[in-house]
Amino acid sequence: MGKVVTHKKVNLPQKTCPVCQRPFTWRKKWEKDWEQVIYCSERCRRTKDK
């Protein structure tokens, strides 16, 4: 079995959304592709070009 990486809520990685400039925190659903996550939400992703 692979090594399981657990995060305590205080140690979760953060990024800043380039659209709304707000910080957002790692979520379980982004576990496999956190490096590719750029936007905090679907709404920001859709409005990136506006």
Side-chain angles (χ1 to χ4, degrees):
M1 291 207 166
K3 182 179 175 186
V4 176
V5 176
T6 56
H7 295 281
K8 295 196 185 313
K9 289 196 180 212
V10 295
N11 293 331
L12 292 174
Q14 281 191 334
K15 292 184 180 183
T16 301
C17 178
V19 176
C20 67
Q21 298 300 309
R22 294 183 182 158
F24 63 97
T25 308
W26 180 93
R27 294 187 198 166
K28 180 73 173 167
K29 71 178 187 175
W30 293 330
E31 184 174 29
K32 290 183 173 58
D33 59 353
W34 174 243
E35 296 301 316
Q36 285 73 45
V37 174
I38 299 170
Y39 305 102
C40 65
S41 65
E42 191 62 29
R43 182 178 178 187
C44 278
R45 189 184 67 77
R46 278 191 246 117
T47 60
K48 68 181 182 263
D49 297 328
K50 293 182 181 176

